[in-house]
Amino acid sequence: MSSFRPLLLSALALSALPALAQAPAKALNAISAKDLLEHIQTLASDEFEGRAPGTAGETKTVAYIQQEFKKLGLKPGNPDGSWVQAVPMRGQRPTPSFSYTIGGQKVALSFPNDYVAHSTSQPTSVNVNNSDIVFVGYGVQAPEYGWDDYKGVDVRGKTILMLINDPAVVDPSNPEQLDPAMFKGKAMTYYGRWTYKYEIAAKLGAAAAMIIHETKPAAYPWDVVRSGGVAEHFSLLRNGDDPDAPTVPGWIQLDQAKAMMAAAGYDFDTLKKQALTKEFKPVSLKGTADFKIENNARTVNSKNVVAKIEGSDPKLKNEYVIYSAHWDHLGIDEQLPGERSKQIYHGALDNASGVAALMELAKAYKALPKAPKRTILFIATTAEEKGLLGAKYYAAHPLYPLKQTIANINIDGINAWGKTAQIENVTSGHTSIDGLLEKYAKGQGRLMEQDSRSELGSFYRADQLEFARAGVPVLYTKARSRYLDKPENYAEEVVDNYFTHDYHQPTDGFRNDWDFSGGVQDIQLLFQVGLDIAQGVTPTWNAGSEFKAGGDKRLK
């Protein structure tokens, strides 16, 4: 988020901060590493079956979260008196086939080793036949950067092949780094996300969109794509086709994409280099693709779990501060070898840890001598792993008016490796919440810094994105660099090891060697920031944020 500088809090807000900053030690000390571990161990156990929506694992997870909220003395968060918000979805487990014909030679690819594909269309059987294949570079239309990979080429009914992430444009004044004036340099923008690429494909009428997987720009290996591809796919229940995806969205393994291009007489590396320029034009691969998707479909009534602490001020209690964390993970893959436990995607850090943090935050708020002025909502969302669907549904069907929703603080993964010298603000530069975070980080003897791994595009990969799109100011933090009293390369060791070996794998399980001392600090920080907002500080969007227009619309 380096292309614009965060605005400071207004003088009025700053003058109010000291009076609001006195979070009692009892409330801060209520946040416990021991209790965090106990919640994570439970939610990530084999008994919860990987917490996939629409399974027995969901039933157990929702019941557990509701039970723990009750124990803490929270009230049901739905105005109808219940603890849940129903999120109607369509679940589809695909059995796809994909082949292409170039130069008279037909090549059939193997699912899920060579590609993954699905369809969120309503029919249980979906066919795309004799569809011309076109390489569209990064598949981006970004007028603010003078960038259009389509150049007016009609892709209706065609199969488009595209690269993942943003165009990695080299800085003309320094070939060792990316140009900060183009797609925010190192940081990933929304144009780099697979969700955008499917959305633009649907908008332009493509029949199929296949993203070429590369581990580094995708930020995860093929195994992550594979595990998502074989799992049940979900979309929000609607009449008609999905407006956010073509008939067939999917991914293709890099070597298979190279082979396809070679069959058409093109070299992948050469085409990729051409795609890094504004002058790039779509390239026909002089062949056709055929897809058939057989969907085993069902309707799933999943649930967001919602609890609240009602505000104490007669007027401000009708304004809301939301803490959110998704409860879902990837369930079970019975095709994996080994015993049952090795087939379960336990999702300990992603995101049993975030749900556990919600419990600790609720405990801290209940330890206050008096409830804050504004109402606090705790929302454990469903189907984040399926495309932020629980958060998307809440933003479209809020239980409380978005105009009166003051902020969203989202938690997706807690630091499990010790204390850090700083807190990384993934949402840095977007809202005046930055000033609060910086202030309380300083109180902990820490710095607030921008995302050290902005190339991962974390802003666009978690639930706060849907609240931001709805115009609600958001905060999302990480602590994954500069660990205290650790070797210099420790952060790369533990974080890279997690993303390489455990992220979205059955091995993301409970560990006895975690150190949540840093995680506790981070949760305390989010408590202090949220408390100030709950006591009357009203965050605003910064002028340079892409979400400011939505924020202005929300307030009208």
Side-chain angles (χ1 to χ4, degrees):
M1 309 305 166
S2 57
S3 61
F4 49 88
R5 298 170 66 183
L7 299 181
L8 295 177
L9 287 170
S10 69
L12 178 62
L14 280 172
S15 67
L17 291 183
L20 299 175
Q22 304 304 315
K26 180 181 178 183
L28 290 171
N29 292 335
I31 297 168
S32 155
K34 176 178 176 291
D35 291 347
L36 272 174
L37 286 164
E38 288 178 0
H39 289 305
I40 296 169
Q41 187 168 23
T42 299
L43 288 165
S45 67
D46 288 358
E47 180 186 353
F48 283 70
E49 301 180 0
R51 306 189 308 280
T55 67
E58 166 167 2
T59 303
K60 293 174 183 177
T61 302
V62 169
Y64 178 80
I65 297 170
Q66 181 176 323
Q67 164 195 297
E68 294 304 307
F69 281 156
K70 280 183 181 178
K71 282 183 184 177
L72 291 168
L74 275 59
K75 293 182 178 179
N78 194 317
D80 68 8
S82 73
W83 293 91
V84 299
Q85 177 188 36
V87 181
M89 301 190 297
R90 189 166 188 259
Q92 296 170 302
R93 194 173 292 276
T95 303
S97 65
F98 169 36
S99 63
Y100 65 86
T101 303
I102 296 176
Q105 296 295 314
K106 183 176 180 178
V107 177
L109 275 65
S110 173
F111 170 82
N113 296 322
D114 297 337
Y115 77 99
V116 297
H118 67 283
S119 179
T120 55
S121 298
Q122 296 297 327
T124 55
S125 183
V126 175
N127 292 276
V128 171
N129 297 317
N130 201 36
S131 172
D132 290 343
I133 306 171
V134 182
F135 174 64
V136 295
Y138 287 87
V140 169
Q141 285 186 333
E144 68 271 36
Y145 296 114
W147 198 281
D148 180 9
D149 282 328
Y150 294 91
K151 301 294 192 299
V153 172
D154 186 358
V155 296
R156 287 177 295 178
K158 296 178 181 178
T159 293
I160 58 176
L161 216 62
M162 58 181 78
L163 299 162
I164 190 59
N165 213 314
D166 299 311
V169 181
V170 173
D171 188 342
S173 63
N174 183 355
E176 299 300 316
Q177 66 181 29
L178 298 182
D179 187 349
M182 295 299 298
F183 301 97
K184 299 185 180 179
K186 171 189 169 186
M188 181 191 288
T189 72
Y190 189 60
Y191 294 117
R193 289 288 292 145
W194 57 267
T195 47
Y196 166 79
K197 295 177 189 292
Y198 292 157
E199 288 165 7
I200 191 66
K203 179 182 177 182
L204 296 178
M210 299 297 285
I211 298 172
I212 300 168
H213 176 265
E214 295 181 87
T215 297
K216 185 175 180 180
Y220 38 78
W222 179 257
D223 279 349
V224 172
V225 179
R226 178 198 174 281
S227 62
V230 300
E232 187 173 18
H233 293 260
F234 288 89
S235 57
L236 294 177
L237 197 62
R238 58 169 61 87
N239 293 321
D241 291 337
D242 187 347
D244 296 329
T247 301
V248 177
W251 291 73
I252 184 169
Q253 198 263 348
L254 177 60
D255 287 342
Q256 295 300 327
K258 288 181 176 180
M260 183 187 293
M261 291 177 175
Y266 294 108
D267 173 68
F268 171 81
D269 292 328
T270 301
L271 288 183
K272 183 176 179 180
K273 186 176 181 179
Q274 292 173 6
L276 291 172
T277 68
K278 291 182 179 181
E279 292 70 36
F280 170 82
K281 293 181 180 179
V283 176
S284 169
L285 296 192
K286 299 175 284 191
T288 59
D290 294 279
F291 296 88
K292 184 172 184 178
I293 313 288
E294 295 290 346
N295 276 321
N296 183 2
R298 62 182 179 131
T299 298
V300 175
N301 290 310
S302 194
K303 296 176 176 67
N304 291 332
V305 187
V306 190
K308 71 178 180 181
I309 297 174
E310 191 167 302
S312 58
D313 183 88
K315 181 179 179 181
L316 292 181
K317 71 178 182 180
N318 295 316
E319 297 179 348
Y320 306 91
V321 179
I322 295 176
Y323 285 96
S324 58
H326 74 90
W327 59 254
D328 67 296
H329 201 55
L330 302 180
I332 302 172
D333 181 0
E334 295 180 345
Q335 302 303 311
L336 291 176
E339 60 193 22
R340 184 68 161 180
S341 182
K342 293 182 179 179
Q343 298 173 330
I344 296 173
Y345 291 85
H346 298 93
L349 292 184
D350 182 19
N351 186 36
S353 69
V355 175
L358 283 189
M359 306 298 181
E360 296 308 291
L361 285 161
K363 191 167 41 157
Y365 275 98
K366 291 299 289 184
L368 292 171
K370 182 180 180 181
K373 294 177 181 180
R374 286 175 170 142
T375 294
I376 308 292
L377 293 179
F378 300 93
I379 305 180
T381 55
T382 182
E384 188 270 356
E385 302 289 7
K386 306 302 181 183
L388 318 183
L389 296 183
K392 180 180 286 189
Y393 189 84
Y394 185 92
H397 307 275
L399 297 177
Y400 302 91
L402 292 178
K403 185 176 181 179
Q404 293 157 229
T405 303
I406 306 303
N408 165 241
I409 298 174
N410 187 50
I411 307 164
D412 197 343
I414 292 296
N415 169 23
W417 300 294
K419 293 183 178 181
T420 61
Q422 84 302 315
I423 187 75
E424 296 180 19
N425 185 358
V426 176
T427 46
S428 174
H430 283 277
T431 79
S432 59
I433 298 176
D434 291 0
L436 294 173
L437 185 66
E438 184 173 20
K439 173 187 175 181
Y440 287 113
K442 186 176 180 181
Q444 292 182 336
R446 306 166 76 193
L447 298 174
M448 183 195 79
E449 296 184 352
Q450 295 186 357
D451 187 359
S452 68
R453 295 179 176 236
S454 57
E455 71 276 10
L456 299 179
S458 297
F459 189 112
Y460 307 101
R461 295 172 61 174
D463 280 337
Q464 77 285 333
L465 174 64
E466 297 301 332
F467 288 98
R469 282 176 151 180
V472 177
V474 296
L475 176 64
Y476 180 42
T477 64
K478 291 287 184 183
R480 50 192 177 194
S481 62
R482 294 178 59 199
Y483 285 84
L484 298 177
D485 303 319
K486 301 291 185 183
E488 189 173 338
N489 65 341
Y490 179 75
E492 288 76 14
E493 249 179 47
V494 294
V495 176
D496 288 352
N497 183 71
Y498 173 75
F499 275 103
T500 302
H501 300 291
D502 300 328
Y503 175 69
H504 282 199
Q505 297 300 314
T507 49
D508 181 10
F510 180 83
R511 297 175 62 101
N512 289 312
D513 61 350
W514 280 331
D515 176 359
F516 271 110
S517 59
V520 166
Q521 268 198 325
D522 297 344
I523 298 167
Q524 289 173 334
L525 191 52
L526 299 182
F527 168 68
Q528 290 175 296
V529 170
L531 179 58
D532 268 16
I533 297 171
Q535 291 289 60
V537 172
T538 300
T540 56
W541 286 101
N542 293 344
S545 173
E546 66 216 73
F547 302 105
K548 186 181 186 302
D552 293 342
K553 182 180 178 182
R554 174 182 65 94
L555 295 175
K556 289 181 181 178

